[in-house]
């Protein structure tokens, strides 16, 4: 037994003699011992009875917990440990310095040195019962009990089923209480701090109502003497004629128990809990035969409790992972382009080439067809790949990306296909590859032309058979992964020069999507620039007024060889420069962007028909291209995006 007396603090004089095995101490209402002092945390500490001792546990309080013992101070913190056993005469301190609440602890033996009628160690509780062999009725009842427990779906149903079965197997039982080891923190708590908590008590129900058991009207104390014997001796115990045999224990006398039975629930070396069966009304006593039949039940009940707790943990972990997955996917969508409420990351563009791209994308999203995204560096191929995934019916599964140029061959193979422990130096444990991680979702392979030929053959097998074999494994595993690949190279040229497998080329280029460079959709520059300006202004906490007209003209006139990525970096730099609420002016632009400054004025044609003005502009552009390339017509034609013959034809038409 333990008694707590508050000797210092606002609630000095308060006392508590708990009847439960877990005593919660703190400022918040609902604690077993409420300490209203402001420096005490809401849930400051708890005392747990672990079967043979009381343990004080600090609940990571703000101002700390300590124990004063015979002149020594034991602090409960990360360096010393946040739990310690309590002894008679200890003083618990909540707080620090001069703001301290003191609680005196009195621990005394309750005199429950049980002298039992029968006892069997766990090792002797084999699933055999001679009593069953002689009693067909009990054999039938045991079979029904096992079925009832086995059909329970969760821990609550398992516990009720154990109580119902106990009443069926022990006719003299009037009360059944189940005490379980505290498992709220899923094994994260230190062993000594895990106490036993009564979780369910049932009374024998009325035969007329057809109910075998019913909940009690008030709390029913457990028999500590028998409970402690079960836990410390790791044995099943029956105490007959309890007031005499169990040493006049207070809990037994108060409840007027004639006899009680304690059966352990166990898993290996761990005692999961105790089934306590009481006879508090009948004149007869529980016998060794009752112990034997309950021992048989305990085998199945122990397994059911352990499994139900495991299922509970797995469900909690699954729910936690689902929430984490949802959060991470939303953050990933934002990172890939400011995710929308539905439909995945937003692709910005109103130009004809972008409208055509989006139309093609919508046709392929809900198929299993492999998609190849082609385009120059920085055009947003990964954004398009993410959009393929998040607009498809795979959107609830993972989108995983890997740049094939970012890793050497050996690491890339392990990253994609996984490996088994010991398959190579440094493989200290099994590792799942990205194909297995993305199972059911989409795997994006960026710069796929950089993949070594040896890995290309393994990728081809995944595309053909839907199977992967980790490094060091002896068997394949089926995966359902959609492949979206991207490249900034000419695949036909790579195949012709022997750097890319022709059969893989035909597998990848089932449905190609070409992302146009920014210079081919200049009308989108304003939309994209405004998007990035708003994004970075929000990120930096610096509101921006917008772009001046001349600045936007310069942005739209520049060719952006780095495409959207270059534009993004330029806008980010501009956002740093501008004053809060200011406009972006031409002098803030990078020199490479400002090099087109004045071009619009210089090329401005004289008034005339549309054809005459267009001819003047085209003639000026041809001359400028030749001048920039020192009259090298091949280089000028390439820069203008036309053939050398086409350039000659235009020069002749203008008499140049």
């Amino acid at each position: 037994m333990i008694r707590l007396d508050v000797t210092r603090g606002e609630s000095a004089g308060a006392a508590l003699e708990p009847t439960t095995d877990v005593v919660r101490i703190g400022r918040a209402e609902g604690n077993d011992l409420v300490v209203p002092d402001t420096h005490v945390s809401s849930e400051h500490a708890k005392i747990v009875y672990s079967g043979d001792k009381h343990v004080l546990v600090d609940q990571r309080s703000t101002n700390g917990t300590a124990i004063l013992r015979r002149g020594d101070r034991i602090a409960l913190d990360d360096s010393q440990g946040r739990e310690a056993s309590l002894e008679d005469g200890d003083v618990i301190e909540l707080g620090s310095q001069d703001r301290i609440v003191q609680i005196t602890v009195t621990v005394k033996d309750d005199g429950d040195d049980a002298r039992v009628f029968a006892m069997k160690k766990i090792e002797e509780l084999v699933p055999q019962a001679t009593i069953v062999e002689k009693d067909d009725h009990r054999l039938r009842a045991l079979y029904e009990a096992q079925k009832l427990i086995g059909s329970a779906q969760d821990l609550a149903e398992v516990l009720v089923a154990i109580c119902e079965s106990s009443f069926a197997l022990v006719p003299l039982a009037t009360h059944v209480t189940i005490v379980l080891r505290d498992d709220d923190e899923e094994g994260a708590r230190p062993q000594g701090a895990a106490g036993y908590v009564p979780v369910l008590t049932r009374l024998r129900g009325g035969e007329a109502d057809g109910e075998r058991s019913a909940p009690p009207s008030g709390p029913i104390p457990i028999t500590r003497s028998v409970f402690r014997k079960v836990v410390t001796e790791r044995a099943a115990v029956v105490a007959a004629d309890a007031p005499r045999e169990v040493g006049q224990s207070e809990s037994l006398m108060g409840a007027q128990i004639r006899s009680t039975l304690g059966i352990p629930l166990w898993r290996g070396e761990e005692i999961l809990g105790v089934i306590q069966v009481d006879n508090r009304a009948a004149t007869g006593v529980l016998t060794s035969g009752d112990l034997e039949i309950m021992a048989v039940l305990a085998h199945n009940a122990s397994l059911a409790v352990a499994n139900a707790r495991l299922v509970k943990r797995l469900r909690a972990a699954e729910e936690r992972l689902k929430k984490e997955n949802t959060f991470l996917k939303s953050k990933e969508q934002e990172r890939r382009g400011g995710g929308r409420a539905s439909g995945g990351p937003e692709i910005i563009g109103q130009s004809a080439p972008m409208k055509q791209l989006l139309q093609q994308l919508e046709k392929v999203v809900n198929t299993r067809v492999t998609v190849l995204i082609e385009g120059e560096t920085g055009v947003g191929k990964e954004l398009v790949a993410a959009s393929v995934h998040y607009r498809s019916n795979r959107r609830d599964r993972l989108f995983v990306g890997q740049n094939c140029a970012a890793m050497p061959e050996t690491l890339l193979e392990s990253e994609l296909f996984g490996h088994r422990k010991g398959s190579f130096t440094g493989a200290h444990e099994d590792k799942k590859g990205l194909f297995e991680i993305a199972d059911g979702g989409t795997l994006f392979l960026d710069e796929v032309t950089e993949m070594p030929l040896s890995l290309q053959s393994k990728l081809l097998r995944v595309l053909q058979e839907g199977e992967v074999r980790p490094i060091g494994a002896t068997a394949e595993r089926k995966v359902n992964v959609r492949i979206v690949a991207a490249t900034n190279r000419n695949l036909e040229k790579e195949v012709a020069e022997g750097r890319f497998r022709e059969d893989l080329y035909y597998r990848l280029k089932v449905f190609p999507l070409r992302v146009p460079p920014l210079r081919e959709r200049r009308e989108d520059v304003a939309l994209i620039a405004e998007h990035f300006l708003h994004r970075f202004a929000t990120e930096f906490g610096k509101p921006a007024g917008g772009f001046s007209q001349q600045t936007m003209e310069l942005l739209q006139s520049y060719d952006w060889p780095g495409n959207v990525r270059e534009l993004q970096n330029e806008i980010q730099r501009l956002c740093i420069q501008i004053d809060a609420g200011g406009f972006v002016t031409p002098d803030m632009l990078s020199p490479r962007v400002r090099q087109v400054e004045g071009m619009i004025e210089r090329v401005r044609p004289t008034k005339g028909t549309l054809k005459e003005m267009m001819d003047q502009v085209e003639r000026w552009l041809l001359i400028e291209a030749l001048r920039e390339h020192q009259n090298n017509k091949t280089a000028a034609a390439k820069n203008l995006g036309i053939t050398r013959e086409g350039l000659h034809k235009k020069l002749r038409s203008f008499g140049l």
Side-chain angles (χ1 to χ4, degrees):
M1 294 179 63
I2 189 171
R3 177 184 171 90
L4 305 175
D5 291 279
V6 182
T7 55
R8 178 178 175 182
E10 291 185 24
S11 56
L16 176 68
E17 291 188 22
T19 59
T20 60
D21 288 336
V22 179
V23 181
R24 292 173 171 82
I25 305 171
R27 192 179 69 251
E29 293 294 332
N31 286 291
D32 300 295
L33 180 59
V34 178
V35 183
D37 302 66
T38 56
H39 63 278
V40 174
S41 299
S42 298
E43 297 178 357
H44 196 105
K46 65 180 177 180
I47 299 172
V48 178
Y49 179 66
S50 60
D52 58 348
K53 60 185 176 182
H54 290 87
V55 179
L56 175 66
V57 183
D58 178 74
Q59 302 267 67
R60 296 201 171 273
S61 58
T62 303
N63 295 308
T65 305
I67 298 174
L68 292 181
R69 179 178 297 160
R70 295 184 290 275
D72 295 329
R73 189 174 188 274
I74 305 169
L76 305 188
D77 53 29
D78 290 330
S79 60
Q80 302 293 324
R82 291 193 173 269
E83 63 170 77
S85 300
L86 288 171
E87 298 179 4
D88 185 45
D90 285 349
V91 176
I92 300 172
E93 288 191 344
L94 310 180
S96 60
Q97 297 178 358
D98 59 338
R99 304 178 67 199
I100 290 177
V101 171
Q102 290 187 334
I103 303 171
T104 301
V105 177
T106 303
V107 180
K108 58 183 178 180
D109 189 356
D110 58 7
D112 287 351
D113 185 14
R115 297 187 300 276
V116 299
F117 177 75
M119 182 174 73
K120 273 193 175 185
K121 296 282 189 179
I122 284 179
E123 294 76 13
E124 301 171 3
L125 298 180
V126 294
Q128 299 175 358
T130 56
I131 190 71
V132 174
E133 297 173 3
K134 304 173 185 177
D135 191 338
D136 289 341
H137 173 73
R138 275 197 166 181
L139 180 61
R140 192 178 304 108
L142 182 61
Y143 171 72
E144 293 297 330
Q146 305 284 34
K147 279 203 330 181
L148 181 64
I149 294 173
S151 63
Q153 298 297 313
D154 54 30
L155 183 60
E157 290 186 14
V158 167
L159 299 181
V160 171
I162 292 173
C163 291
E164 296 278 353
S165 302
S166 300
F167 285 123
L169 296 174
V170 183
L172 291 179
T174 59
H175 298 68
V176 176
T177 300
I178 299 178
V179 182
L180 292 182
R181 194 177 187 90
D182 192 1
D183 195 43
D184 290 343
E185 297 178 24
E186 302 179 11
R189 180 191 302 101
Q191 185 72 7
Y196 290 91
V197 181
V199 293
L200 181 69
T201 297
R202 305 284 283 191
L203 310 180
R204 182 177 289 278
E207 296 276 342
D209 299 332
E211 295 181 358
R212 189 166 288 153
S213 69
S217 57
I220 303 294
I222 63 170
T223 309
R224 285 184 177 273
S225 56
V226 174
F227 166 75
R228 186 162 54 245
K229 199 80 170 177
V230 172
V231 174
T232 56
E233 298 288 341
R234 294 174 51 80
V237 173
V238 59
D241 195 12
R244 183 177 70 254
E245 293 295 332
V246 187
Q248 305 295 326
S249 112
E250 181 180 348
S251 58
L252 286 171
M253 291 294 290
Q256 296 182 340
I257 299 175
R258 301 296 300 172
S259 56
T260 189
L261 173 66
I263 300 291
L265 298 169
W266 73 95
R267 180 182 58 190
E269 295 299 314
E270 181 186 6
I271 301 295
L272 301 176
V274 176
I275 307 173
Q276 178 178 299
V277 180
D278 296 330
N279 173 12
R280 306 189 183 199
T283 55
V285 295
L286 303 178
T287 66
S288 58
D290 296 318
L291 181 149
E292 193 171 356
I293 192 71
M294 285 298 296
V296 179
L297 178 72
H299 273 275
N300 192 41
S302 298
L303 182 62
V305 169
N307 288 343
R309 283 194 154 178
L310 178 60
V311 169
K312 180 182 176 182
R313 292 191 193 119
L314 290 175
R315 286 175 178 168
E318 183 181 21
E319 186 64 27
R320 185 169 61 251
L321 287 174
K322 281 182 179 179
K323 291 179 180 178
E324 290 176 0
N325 191 22
T326 302
F327 171 76
L328 291 174
K329 285 202 297 185
S330 66
K331 298 300 289 184
E332 181 68 5
Q333 288 188 41
E334 291 177 12
R335 186 186 75 80
R336 295 181 188 277
R340 300 179 295 174
S342 61
E346 183 179 6
I347 297 178
I348 300 172
Q350 297 295 326
S351 61
M354 289 305 295
K355 287 181 179 178
Q356 183 180 2
L357 171 65
L358 292 173
Q359 289 171 0
Q360 291 294 98
L361 190 147
E362 289 297 337
K363 292 177 182 177
V364 76
V365 288
N366 282 321
T367 69
R368 293 190 59 184
V369 170
T370 301
V371 176
L372 178 66
I373 302 173
E374 300 173 303
E376 298 177 3
T377 299
V379 293
K381 296 188 290 294
E382 187 174 358
L383 181 65
V384 174
S387 190
V388 170
H389 172 77
Y390 289 111
R391 292 170 187 243
S392 74
N393 49 20
R394 293 173 179 256
R395 68 179 67 90
D396 293 330
R397 307 305 290 270
L398 286 179
F399 174 80
V400 181
Q402 175 60 48
N403 189 324
C404 298
M407 286 186 175
E409 178 179 349
T410 52
L411 291 180
L412 181 60
E413 182 178 6
S414 173
E415 191 71 15
L416 292 176
F417 300 99
H419 63 251
R420 292 291 176 259
K421 180 180 179 180
S423 56
F424 55 86
T425 303
H428 301 302
E429 58 185 15
D430 288 352
K431 175 185 176 181
K432 280 189 175 183
L434 295 183
F435 278 102
E436 290 188 62
I437 292 173
D439 194 12
T442 304
L443 177 59
F444 172 56
L445 299 176
D446 199 7
E447 306 299 346
V448 71
T449 50
E450 301 294 333
M451 183 179 289
L453 288 170
S454 59
L455 288 188
Q456 291 178 25
S457 61
K458 295 193 74 171
L459 175 59
L460 182 63
R461 178 170 180 80
V462 178
L463 292 172
Q464 290 176 335
E465 308 295 338
E467 295 177 342
V468 295
R469 179 187 291 183
I471 301 172
T474 57
E476 288 82 6
R477 176 177 175 180
K478 283 283 186 182
V479 291
N480 174 18
V481 179
R482 183 182 197 167
I483 303 295
V484 178
T487 181
N488 61 359
R489 295 189 182 184
N490 186 316
L491 263 185
E492 289 83 354
K493 183 179 179 182
E494 295 295 307
V495 171
E497 296 181 0
R499 290 191 294 268
F500 202 81
R501 292 178 61 109
E502 185 175 6
D503 46 4
L504 180 57
Y505 163 75
Y506 290 120
R507 279 284 179 177
L508 288 179
K509 202 165 183 177
V510 177
F511 196 91
L513 292 174
R514 178 181 178 271
V515 185
L518 205 50
R519 63 180 176 275
E520 293 182 12
R521 52 185 187 111
R522 295 182 187 273
E523 55 266 52
D524 291 335
V525 170
L527 293 173
I528 300 172
E530 292 286 356
H531 167 77
F532 285 133
L533 185 68
H534 174 74
R535 173 179 163 183
F536 291 123
T538 303
E539 182 180 323
F540 298 155
K542 183 192 292 185
F547 298 94
S548 69
Q549 181 178 344
Q550 189 178 6
T551 302
M552 186 55 72
E553 288 176 353
L554 291 173
L555 291 174
Q556 291 177 311
S557 300
Y558 181 58
D559 275 346
W560 300 107
N563 293 294
V564 178
R565 187 179 295 125
E566 183 184 4
L567 176 58
Q568 177 181 348
N569 292 339
E570 179 71 13
I571 302 303
Q572 187 176 28
R573 193 185 61 79
L574 292 172
C575 248
I576 296 172
Q577 291 187 81
I578 61 173
D579 297 325
F583 282 81
V584 180
T585 55
D587 59 292
M588 298 179 182
L589 295 173
S590 301
R592 65 180 184 279
V593 179
R594 276 197 326 232
Q595 69 184 359
V596 297
E597 192 172 6
M599 181 185 295
I600 298 170
E601 288 300 322
R602 294 198 302 272
V603 77
R604 190 179 298 279
T606 58
K607 293 293 184 180
T609 64
L610 177 61
K611 184 178 185 308
E612 289 171 344
M613 290 190 292
M614 290 297 293
D615 285 345
Q616 291 179 57
V617 172
E618 188 173 1
R619 187 176 188 278
W620 185 89
L621 290 173
L622 291 171
I623 294 171
E624 281 294 302
L626 289 170
R627 182 182 61 78
E628 287 179 11
H629 295 90
Q630 291 78 45
N631 233 27
N632 185 324
K633 294 178 181 177
T634 301
K638 184 177 180 181
N639 180 256
L640 292 170
I642 59 177
T643 64
R644 193 173 189 277
E645 292 74 16
L647 177 61
H648 274 292
K649 183 178 180 181
K650 287 183 178 293
L651 292 175
R652 284 196 301 271
S653 67
F654 288 116
L656 299 174

